[in-house]
Amino acid sequence: DGAKTLQVPEFKVEGVPATPIAQDLSTNQPCQASSETHGTTCALALNGDTRRDHPFQLHTAKGDQWVRVLLKASTTNPKVTFYARNCCSSNTGPTMRMFIGATDNLSAATDCGKITGIADSTTNVATCTGTGKFVWLRTDGAKTLQVPEFKVEGVPAMLIA
């Protein structure tokens, strides 16, 4: 018979965006640190609060120190933002190593880059080259780790085509 016209008052398509958008994968996620001193915990480094003074930070003992976060989802090549303390950054920097892995085992993780230029009150951004669900920040030598905040942003693996 003849052609018919279909009138649709509303039409909606849902799905994965053509270009997936990076998301915050670390804020308020479970974490662990090699040590916690001065009444601080690793949760202070991942709570979204970017105040840079004590007591709003993770503070560790001196030595080969690290902090690890379990991301909301596995990701590839995430952006890591490190918010340096307003003083004493030479105790942590001027560089810090980053690692990424599929499990919580640091020795099985991939060294995925470093954060450089850490100084008092700087905000440092670096790409962690690799894939995983766990990300570590680790002192570059025998230092204390002082982390007011760090954030890991990436495209969740389920959105990567």
Side-chain angles (χ1 to χ4, degrees), residues 52-54 57 84-92 119-121 146 148:
R52 297 168 187 257
D53 54 332
H54 185 76
Q57 64 169 351
R85 189 168 172 198
N86 63 355
C87 76
C88 320
S89 292
S90 61
N91 294 333
T92 296
D120 292 351
S121 298
Q146 297 179 26

Side-chain angles (χ1 to χ4, degrees), residues 73-88:
S74 185
T75 191
T76 299
N77 301 336
K79 177 177 85 170
V80 177
T81 304
F82 176 76
Y83 299 85
R85 189 168 172 198
N86 63 355
C87 76
C88 320

Side-chain angles (χ1 to χ4, degrees), residues 24 26-31 40-53 55-58 67 69 72 83 147-152:
D24 176 355
S26 60
T27 300
N28 295 318
Q29 287 299 106
C31 61
T40 68
T41 67
C42 68
L44 291 170
L46 294 156
N47 64 0
D49 184 346
T50 58
R51 286 181 280 185
R52 297 168 187 257
D53 54 332
F56 309 104
Q57 64 169 351
L58 164 65
V67 59
V69 60
K72 292 176 186 172
Y83 299 85
V147 185
E149 189 71 19
F150 81 98
K151 181 167 44 173
V152 181

Side-chain angles (χ1 to χ4, degrees), residues 62-148:
K62 188 173 182 177
D64 184 17
Q65 300 294 310
W66 53 264
V67 59
R68 176 190 74 218
V69 60
L70 170 60
L71 302 176
K72 292 176 186 172
S74 185
T75 191
T76 299
N77 301 336
K79 177 177 85 170
V80 177
T81 304
F82 176 76
Y83 299 85
R85 189 168 172 198
N86 63 355
C87 76
C88 320
S89 292
S90 61
N91 294 333
T92 296
T95 63
M96 190 180 319
R97 303 299 312 173
M98 299 181 296
F99 295 81
I100 192 166
T103 70
D104 63 359
N105 182 354
L106 178 56
S107 62
T110 300
D111 185 333
C112 62
K114 64 183 174 178
I115 297 171
T116 61
I118 298 169
D120 292 351
S121 298
T122 58
T123 300
N124 309 80
V125 180
T127 299
C128 177
T129 306
T131 299
K133 188 161 179 155
F134 293 87
V135 170
W136 289 259
L137 297 184
R138 184 175 172 183
T139 56
D140 208 2
K143 303 265 188 172
T144 59
L145 194 54
Q146 297 179 26
V147 185

